[in-house]
Structures are given as structure tokens and as C-alpha cells.
Amino acid sequence: MKNSDILKLVRPNIMRMEPYSCARSEFKGEARIFLDANENPYGTYNRYPDPLQVAIKDKIAKIKGVRPGQIMLGNGSDEPIDLIYRIFCRPGVDNVVAIEPSYGMYRVAAETNDVEYRVAMLDADFNFDADAMLAEVDANTKVAWLCSPNNPTGNALPEDQIRKILDSFGGIVVIDEAYIDFASRPGWLRELDRHPRLIVLQTFSKAWGLAGVRCGMAFASEEIIDIFNKVKYPYNVNTLTQEAVSRALDEAEATATRVRGILDERERVVRQLGSLPLIRRIYPTDANFILVKVDDANAVYSALLNSGIVTRNRNKVSLCAGCIRVTIGTPAENDALIAKLKTL
Ligand SMILES: *Cc1c(COP(=O)(O)O)cnc(C)c1O
């Protein structure tokens, strides 16, 4: 597929529209006196933020090995997830297909945008079969949602099956890599140039420890990023967020160290949970959480809650009956979890 063909996947109204031109993006160059945006001249956060976040994209590009033009930043990953529907899917006409079980926001955003949400079930061990997904595809399927490492299951999807989707599906392929920094194998950023229809999502919410500032990353071909930029709110990433993200990027080594600590803890928690008779199964994980199966998930969840420990009860999620999802916390928090489970 030629890069220009991607534009055929875009909703015609989006192709036709003229983006809002904000004061800060019309002016380019050096200036000292800004009288263009009706800002208040006094204060610390009186200026509008950079709509295209040039400074932090340069830093991200270096760390991730991509070009700045291949990056879109949003208000969490939630924003690019919603924008993908708004850009590619005609409400009431088009559909998407996603692995199931997976992250709940793909479905919520489909419903908000009136887009049919089709699922391709993982198998009982949460393995992914590309053919099961391709069987759901028809002429109106615009997006395939993959999540690797997957939430809530924790496992990375097999590379050959993802490759099959990239090679055989003619629409947009999204790979959500929110947990990639905890995974044992590298993600798909290095293949961006080979797959112009690929969108990789990452986030500052997990490994970077910045869930509170709300900043998500979408990586894709320049053609796709240009459309994101046309449709997003002009000032979607505020100044405070850009500052916090910029500082974190300057201290990337500190993030890497913390990730290694969490991985050590993950190993220790898995080992300790493994010796508890209460636990029926611990699923393999490439993320900063563990999915465990018990006999009565509701009872275990409630008992933990009663001692002030909040986990995620996934009992009602497809294929996850009896399962609780536990995030790796500090050593003391994990010890409290294990101690409580020992009493059950
Ligand atoms: C946590 C998580 C995200 C992150 O969402 P943000 O909006 O960036 O906080 C994205 N995808 C998955 C699968 C997640 O589990």
C-alpha cells in the first residue's frame, strides 16, 4: 500500500474539513511581544501551550528512535483512542474488530462514536489467533485493536500473529503498548516505516509514573499524524503536563531504574503467590500487574477490600471468571497483599 492510500481510509468529512487555526500555530518564528492570542500579559501560566508540543516530541523521538513527525500526544491514551474512531469510522456504518478480553476503553469509545464493535476471542490461555480476527473483518472494518502486553491478561501477543494482521488486514492496525516498558521483548515502533497503516499507542501513565498528568503517545506514519493534528483540540496537552513530561524525559534513566525495581518485585510476588493454596493459577505476565485465578474471586476481592487493599475484580470479564488483577506496588504494599492472602 502506498502511503497516500491511507487517506482513503479516512472519513470523507475529515478529509474535507479545514482545521481550526489557533494563534500560536499561525505564528512561526522568534518574537518577544505576543499580542495575538488575547492572553493576559500577567502571570506564570498565562500563555497558551505549544499546540504541537515540539520540545517534548524532540526528546521522545530520540528516546524511542522515531521521527518527531511520527508522534501525536494526547490527554492520556484515551484521546488518541477516541480520535481513531472519529477519524476513520463513519458512525452507524463502519465497524472495528478487537481482541477480547482487552482494555475496556476501545469498546466505550466505539459506543460513544456509534461504531459497531466486533470481538475476536483469545483462547483459554489468552493466546491470539490472527485468523479468528480476520474472520470478523468485512468491507466496513476500519480498525483492528490489539493490545500487547494485553490488559487484563498481562501476556504479550505472539509476534507472528500480529504480523499476519499487519500483512493481511487492509485497515488501520492499532497496537496498544501501554505496558511495553515492562515487557521482555521490544515493541513495534521499529516497524513503523514498514507499515503505514500501523498506529502504536504508548503512555506516560504506567512505566513513567505520570498517570496524574494525563499524557498519551500515538506513533504512526506522518500522514496519519497530520490527520490527528487536524482533528485534536488545538491545546490538548496543557503547559503543566508538558513541563512534567519534559522533566521525566530528562531523567529517563530514573524511570528505567524504577521499572527494573518493579520487575524484581513482580518476580518476588509471583513466587510468593505461587506457594499459596488459595491461588489456582498465575498467568504469565509481561506487564506491571498479575492476573491470578482463585476459586471465589468475589470473596477474595471483598476480603482484600475489607483490609484496605484494592485490587481489580475481573470475575465478570470474558474468559476471566475467578480472576483478580493485581498491580505490583511497593515492597511494603505487596507484603501487605501477600500477608492478607495467607489468612484467607
Ligand atoms: C493504562 C492503560 C492505558 C493508559 O491510558 P492513559 O489514558 O494513557 O492513562 C492504555 N491502554 C491500556 C491497555 C492500559 O491498560
Side-chain angles (χ1 to χ4, degrees):
M1 176 181 253
K2 293 199 305 288
N3 282 19
S4 57
D5 289 344
I6 304 160
L7 302 180
K8 296 201 182 101
L9 293 166
V10 175
R11 287 168 63 191
N13 61 306
I14 301 291
M15 284 308 293
R16 280 193 305 269
M17 69 172 269
E18 272 295 325
Y20 172 70
S21 182
C22 59
R24 263 321 104 74
S25 57
E26 265 187 8
F27 171 77
K28 288 197 175 62
E30 292 292 321
R32 284 185 308 116
I33 300 176
F34 287 100
L35 304 176
D36 57 343
N38 299 345
E39 297 151 327
N40 190 309
Y42 307 109
T44 309
Y45 291 105
N46 55 322
R47 297 298 174 187
Y48 280 106
D50 174 4
L52 293 175
Q53 309 99 21
V54 172
I56 46 181
K57 279 182 188 167
D58 282 343
K59 296 182 185 182
I60 294 169
K62 286 203 183 76
I63 291 174
K64 300 286 180 182
V66 301
R67 297 184 292 281
Q70 292 175 301
I71 308 171
M72 178 267 177
L73 299 179
N75 186 337
S77 305
D78 295 340
E79 183 177 357
I81 289 170
D82 182 57
L83 287 178
I84 287 166
Y85 286 101
R86 290 166 58 196
I87 290 169
F88 297 106
C89 301
R90 293 168 295 174
V93 177
D94 290 329
N95 66 74
V96 302
V97 62
I99 56 166
E100 172 81 5
S102 194
Y103 187 46
M105 277 308 292
Y106 315 142
R107 184 192 289 275
V108 170
E111 286 172 0
T112 341
N113 287 288
D114 191 19
V115 171
E116 185 196 345
Y117 189 79
R118 301 182 174 187
V119 296
M121 277 292 174
L122 301 177
D123 74 12
D125 296 320
F126 304 133
N127 287 319
F128 169 56
D129 174 29
D131 287 329
M133 176 168 267
L134 293 169
E136 297 297 324
V137 169
D138 67 16
N140 289 334
T141 307
K142 291 293 163 62
V143 181
W145 290 95
L146 304 172
C147 182
S148 182
N150 189 30
N151 179 5
T153 61
N155 60 315
L157 304 182
E159 192 182 315
D160 61 329
Q161 299 301 300
I162 293 182
R163 199 171 293 287
K164 194 162 181 180
I165 297 295
L166 282 168
D167 291 339
S168 318
F169 173 57
I172 297 294
V173 178
V174 184
I175 307 178
D176 186 342
E177 296 186 343
Y179 300 98
I180 195 66
D181 296 312
F182 301 104
S184 47
R185 275 176 307 176
W188 291 82
L189 285 184
R190 56 170 90 181
E191 306 231 5
L192 271 186
D193 280 327
R194 226 171 298 164
H195 300 287
R197 289 171 290 107
L198 170 63
I199 300 177
V200 174
L201 301 180
Q202 293 188 7
T203 180
F204 285 95
S205 296
K206 308 288 158 63
W208 290 91
L210 291 174
V213 312
R214 311 305 302 128
C215 192
M217 299 166 260
F219 300 91
S221 56
E222 276 94 344
E223 287 79 3
I224 291 178
I225 297 299
D226 284 348
I227 301 165
F228 270 121
N229 288 337
K230 181 166 145 172
V231 176
K232 76 178 186 69
Y233 291 167
Y235 303 113
N236 62 328
V237 181
N238 69 70
T239 303
L240 291 161
T241 296
Q242 293 195 38
E243 288 175 355
V245 165
S246 181
R247 277 196 300 274
L249 290 164
D250 289 341
E251 294 157 15
E253 196 40 55
T255 290
T257 304
R258 239 175 281 132
V259 165
R260 283 193 295 274
I262 291 169
L263 292 178
D264 288 346
E265 263 308 280
R266 182 179 79 187
E267 230 177 275
R268 184 180 75 91
V269 172
V270 167
R271 219 167 34 238
Q272 301 236 7
L273 292 182
S275 64
L276 300 182
L278 178 81
I279 310 280
R280 293 273 164 257
R281 188 163 177 190
I282 303 170
Y283 291 93
T285 180
D286 257 309
N288 66 334
F289 60 83
I290 310 171
L291 190 73
V292 296
K293 190 172 221 157
V294 294
D295 282 334
D296 186 345
N298 293 334
V300 172
Y301 173 78
S302 302
L304 288 171
L305 201 54
N306 284 336
S307 47
I309 302 170
V310 193
T311 58
R312 195 95 154 110
N313 187 353
R314 299 286 78 187
N315 190 42
K316 288 210 179 103
V317 171
S318 336
L319 305 178
C320 296
C323 289
I324 289 178
R325 194 192 71 195
V326 194
T327 309
I328 301 302
T330 64
E333 289 169 341
N334 303 330
D335 283 343
L337 169 86
I338 292 158
K340 180 65 190 175
L341 287 173
K342 275 184 180 155
T343 70
L344 300 181

XYZ file of all heavy atoms in Angstrom, residues 21-28 34-39 46-51 235:
177
model
N -7.462 27.188 13.068
C -6.097 27.695 13.063
C -5.920 28.583 14.283
O -6.456 29.678 14.334
C -5.862 28.467 11.773
O -4.534 28.911 11.743
N -5.191 28.078 15.292
C -5.043 28.863 16.506
C -3.898 29.853 16.338
O -3.012 29.673 15.505
C -4.843 27.957 17.719
S -3.417 26.879 17.632
N -3.948 30.909 17.146
C -2.956 31.974 17.034
C -1.541 31.412 17.112
O -0.665 31.766 16.326
C -3.184 32.999 18.141
N -1.324 30.501 18.082
C 0.029 30.008 18.291
C 0.551 29.135 17.157
O 1.739 28.958 16.993
C 0.110 29.204 19.603
C 0.601 29.897 20.845
C 1.731 30.849 20.657
N 1.297 32.239 20.695
C 0.948 32.880 21.794
N 0.999 32.292 22.949
N 0.539 34.123 21.740
N -0.364 28.516 16.377
C 0.177 27.704 15.289
C 0.289 28.516 13.993
O 1.018 28.133 13.086
C -0.649 26.430 15.083
O -1.980 26.721 14.841
N -0.393 29.671 13.903
C -0.227 30.503 12.704
C 1.122 31.181 12.711
O 1.797 31.289 11.696
C -1.330 31.567 12.649
C -2.500 31.122 11.813
C -3.518 32.225 11.623
O -3.265 33.373 12.001
O -4.584 31.904 11.094
N 1.552 31.633 13.927
C 2.820 32.338 14.013
C 3.975 31.353 14.180
O 3.943 30.485 15.043
C 2.816 33.313 15.191
C 4.174 33.890 15.445
C 4.672 34.899 14.640
C 4.982 33.372 16.442
C 5.942 35.410 14.853
C 6.256 33.880 16.659
C 6.735 34.905 15.856
N 4.970 31.470 13.323
C 6.169 30.652 13.495
C 7.373 31.561 13.444
O 7.461 32.432 12.593
C 6.266 29.599 12.387
C 5.253 28.488 12.513
C 5.645 27.275 11.678
C 4.686 26.131 11.910
N 3.297 26.457 11.513
N 3.871 39.124 22.361
C 2.755 38.334 21.852
C 1.439 39.055 22.125
O 0.964 39.101 23.263
C 2.733 36.951 22.517
C 3.842 36.053 22.024
C 4.996 35.876 22.773
C 3.739 35.410 20.798
C 6.017 35.056 22.316
C 4.757 34.587 20.337
C 5.895 34.411 21.095
N 0.860 39.607 21.059
C -0.426 40.299 21.188
C -1.439 39.641 20.262
O -2.359 40.288 19.778
C -0.234 41.790 20.831
C 0.837 42.524 21.656
C 0.998 43.958 21.156
C 0.483 42.516 23.144
N -1.242 38.330 20.042
C -2.037 37.652 19.006
C -3.144 36.765 19.556
O -4.062 36.404 18.828
C -1.115 36.794 18.127
C -0.316 35.772 18.927
O -0.214 35.929 20.160
O 0.194 34.818 18.317
N -3.094 36.362 20.836
C -3.992 35.293 21.283
C -4.934 35.723 22.406
O -5.586 34.886 23.023
C -3.171 34.081 21.719
N -5.018 37.028 22.645
C -5.908 37.559 23.698
C -5.610 36.958 25.072
O -6.511 36.795 25.890
C -7.385 37.332 23.339
C -7.744 38.040 22.061
O -6.994 38.918 21.604
N -8.867 37.682 21.469
N -4.343 36.624 25.296
C -3.949 36.143 26.615
C -3.801 37.334 27.553
O -3.685 38.484 27.127
C -2.602 35.406 26.529
C -2.643 34.164 25.670
C -1.298 33.859 25.020
O -0.558 34.812 24.691
O -0.997 32.670 24.826
N 0.038 32.103 31.969
C -0.866 32.959 31.203
C -0.836 32.686 29.713
O -1.736 33.095 28.992
C -0.519 34.430 31.457
C 0.942 34.732 31.151
O 1.812 33.911 31.435
N 1.224 35.882 30.570
N 0.195 31.980 29.244
C 0.315 31.737 27.800
C -0.282 30.383 27.416
O -0.172 29.409 28.156
C 1.791 31.745 27.386
C 2.495 33.073 27.603
C 1.878 34.176 26.774
N 2.472 35.480 27.082
C 2.017 36.625 26.603
N 0.951 36.651 25.805
N 2.598 37.772 26.927
N -0.873 30.335 26.244
C -1.328 29.047 25.706
C -0.132 28.122 25.511
O 0.974 28.588 25.194
C -2.027 29.251 24.359
C -3.445 29.718 24.491
C -3.796 31.043 24.212
C -4.446 28.839 24.890
C -5.103 31.469 24.334
C -5.757 29.262 25.011
C -6.083 30.582 24.732
O -7.378 30.997 24.856
N -0.360 26.806 25.689
C 0.756 25.871 25.476
C 1.052 25.690 23.994
O 0.241 26.051 23.137
C 0.230 24.570 26.080
C -1.251 24.669 25.968
C -1.600 26.128 26.101
N 2.208 25.117 23.704
C 2.565 24.771 22.323
C 1.578 23.711 21.825
O 1.532 22.606 22.363
C 4.002 24.231 22.310
C 4.399 23.699 20.929
O 3.589 23.817 19.979
O 5.518 23.168 20.810
N 0.777 24.020 20.792
C -0.239 23.061 20.337
C 0.359 21.761 19.790
O -0.315 20.730 19.785
C -1.006 23.817 19.237
C -0.139 24.963 18.853
C 0.743 25.280 20.025
N -5.167 22.900 21.889
C -4.278 22.955 23.066
C -4.541 21.760 23.973
O -4.798 21.902 25.170
C -4.498 24.258 23.821
C -4.288 25.484 22.975
C -5.347 26.330 22.660
C -3.024 25.794 22.479
C -5.153 27.467 21.891
C -2.818 26.928 21.698
C -3.887 27.765 21.407
O -3.691 28.881 20.649
